Amino acid sequence: MAPFTSFAALAALASVAVAQTCSGVNQRFQPRMGSGYKVSLLATGLQQPRHIVVDTAGNLLVAEGNSGTVQRLVLQEQGDIVCVASKSAVTTDRSTNHGISLSADGKTLFTSNLASVTAYNYDATTGKATDGKVIVTGMSNTGTHPTRAILVSKSDPDTIVVARGSNGNIDTSTTQTSSGRSMIRTFSISEGLTSVHQYTTGGELLGWGLRNIVGMGEDPLGGIWSVENSMDDVKLNGKDVHNENPAEKLNYHGILKDGASNKLKGANFGYPSCVPAWDTDLLGVANIKVGDLFKPDGVPAASDCASRQTGTVHFHSHTAPLDVKFNKNGTAAYIAFHGSWNRRPADGYRVMRVDFQDGKPVEPPTSKTAAIPVMENPSTSSCPGSCFRPVGLDFDAKGRLFASSDSTGEVYVIYGA
């Protein structure tokens, strides 16, 4: 179990709470559920399902990383659960690898790949996306981190938020905004439909110094949040501290419609020079707290880590948060943790909840118990090779939370969120 899972939370996960099973869907894994939650397996056989979104007809759109298409799962009620009535491809091209979002009115579908963001006319009744047009381009990387998280704001509906990660573990060029990497930018949709935006020079800078943002969410107040995958293989003063540091993060970026009065607009979050602490004892730095930024070995020089913007909630190192979505009343953020590849023992591979009140997390940034287990593998001993690995999340109008698992080609439905 993850070190940040409290004893009380473990006790709440004492039983497997599985709802009915959809006919013809064979369940390989039995997720362990948190208190008050149930789960059913919605679909199998998808080709690396990444981010997902529920359309205005109540059906699920799935970005498939392997096929490059968007699949539409037409849903139907079956007793106490929801199942798939049919599946079909929404897009005819094969350019999507991760990101997907819908306009506030549900009539425009947005997808992303390594290089660009495309907008399609979308009909939720027929499930067809037509007349694709690139609205943001210029994002190709020669290194790692090929995904581009995207989010269309509901409170500021002409704005699309686009994240682009680093081109490696330590991308030294990102000390300058001119690199166009490790940042989040916002763009006018209407302007992009007229003239394509160049990522690095177009739109507006929302935040930078963000190593790899793979998922974003908007709370009911219009606040924008991102989940960040922090640095690998970290050493401090020659000591290997990477197994327990740095922390992964939930970042807050303010409210888009506040414009220039948003004090977090354009904030620098530290990368590549400053990273957040998780295991403070291992670091051996006097008075350092969970979430405080420190300068590890082998990164660009910096003497101002203490003045950079810190995360709002912190999570155990290498657990790889890939998406964040809020429930309707904003009392909880749900986060998909894809899980570690370079940590022993393996950690992550679960969906967690962070409780909110009045638009802010209940727990402080220094907490190690802010994340509460919702759905997880009963054991991580066979991970990452043989377990479900959550990626994308979205709610439907009935409050059911859908969660994709790319490694197993599955989509689950969580009830009680």
Side-chain angles (χ1 to χ4, degrees), residues 213-255:
I213 300 299
V214 192
M216 296 181 290
E218 184 176 34
D219 66 34
L221 300 175
I224 302 298
W225 300 79
S226 69
V227 283
E228 182 178 357
N229 289 216
S230 293
M231 197 178 291
D232 298 317
D233 303 320
V234 165
K235 293 183 178 181
L236 181 63
N237 299 323
K239 180 182 178 181
D240 185 349
V241 298
H242 90 275
N243 209 52
E244 307 294 335
N245 290 284
E248 312 281 49
K249 295 192 292 177
L250 175 66
N251 299 309
Y252 183 56
H253 303 282
I255 298 173

Side-chain angles (χ1 to χ4, degrees), residues 1 5 29 95 121 136 148 150 175 223 232-233 239 290 415:
M1 299 303 299
T5 303
F29 305 101
S95 64
N121 294 326
V136 181
R148 307 288 177 253
I150 58 176
T175 56
D232 298 317
D233 303 320
K239 180 182 178 181
V290 170
Y415 306 85

Side-chain angles (χ1 to χ4, degrees), residues 53-57 61 101-110 120-125 128 152 154 157:
V53 65
V54 177
D55 69 15
T56 54
L61 304 182
S101 191
L102 281 168
S103 59
D105 63 5
K107 295 181 179 180
T108 308
L109 172 68
F110 301 86
Y120 300 87
N121 294 326
Y122 179 67
D123 186 333
T125 302
K128 294 298 181 184
V152 177
K154 288 183 171 57

Side-chain angles (χ1 to χ4, degrees), residues 77-334:
E77 304 297 322
Q78 182 176 305
D80 294 332
I81 63 172
V82 62
C83 298
V84 176
S86 65
K87 183 184 80 168
S88 60
V90 169
T91 54
T92 56
D93 58 10
R94 295 180 175 271
S95 64
T96 302
N97 76 343
H98 177 72
I100 185 171
S101 191
L102 281 168
S103 59
D105 63 5
K107 295 181 179 180
T108 308
L109 172 68
F110 301 86
T111 66
S112 71
N113 58 32
L114 172 70
S116 60
V117 176
T118 301
Y120 300 87
N121 294 326
Y122 179 67
D123 186 333
T125 302
T126 63
K128 294 298 181 184
T130 57
D131 301 324
K133 179 179 176 57
V134 173
I135 63 168
V136 181
T137 192
M139 295 188 290
S140 291
N141 279 359
T142 57
T144 55
H145 305 149
T147 59
R148 307 288 177 253
I150 58 176
L151 173 71
V152 177
S153 171
K154 288 183 171 57
S155 64
D156 191 9
D158 188 46
T159 299
I160 186 168
V161 187
V162 185
R164 184 187 184 197
S166 65
N167 71 355
N169 185 37
I170 303 174
D171 187 348
T172 57
S173 296
T174 60
T175 56
Q176 304 295 321
T177 58
S178 58
S179 71
R181 296 190 297 274
S182 297
M183 63 176 55
I184 301 174
R185 301 188 74 88
T186 62
F187 301 90
S188 164
I189 294 169
S190 58
E191 290 178 6
L193 289 170
T194 301
S195 178
V196 63
H197 296 285
Q198 291 294 320
Y199 186 83
T200 302
T201 57
E204 296 182 357
L205 181 67
L206 183 61
W208 62 300
L210 299 158
R211 179 177 175 271
N212 190 28
I213 300 299
V214 192
M216 296 181 290
E218 184 176 34
D219 66 34
L221 300 175
I224 302 298
W225 300 79
S226 69
V227 283
E228 182 178 357
N229 289 216
S230 293
M231 197 178 291
D232 298 317
D233 303 320
V234 165
K235 293 183 178 181
L236 181 63
N237 299 323
K239 180 182 178 181
D240 185 349
V241 298
H242 90 275
N243 209 52
E244 307 294 335
N245 290 284
E248 312 281 49
K249 295 192 292 177
L250 175 66
N251 299 309
Y252 183 56
H253 303 282
I255 298 173
L256 293 181
K257 63 183 179 182
D258 285 350
S261 65
N262 175 11
K263 295 181 180 180
L264 291 171
K265 185 177 180 180
N268 180 283
F269 286 77
Y271 176 86
S273 299
C274 312
V275 296
W278 178 258
D279 188 330
T280 56
D281 291 337
L282 184 62
L283 294 176
V285 177
N287 301 318
I288 193 170
K289 301 182 297 295
V290 170
D292 285 351
L293 297 176
F294 69 95
K295 180 184 174 297
D297 297 350
V299 300
S303 59
D304 62 343
C305 287
S307 67
R308 309 284 181 99
Q309 183 63 40
T310 57
T312 306
V313 180
H314 297 88
F315 313 107
H316 197 280
S317 57
H318 313 302
T319 47
L322 298 193
D323 205 5
V324 54
K325 292 294 181 287
F326 288 82
N327 61 2
K328 189 175 182 178
N329 61 14
T331 58
Y334 288 80

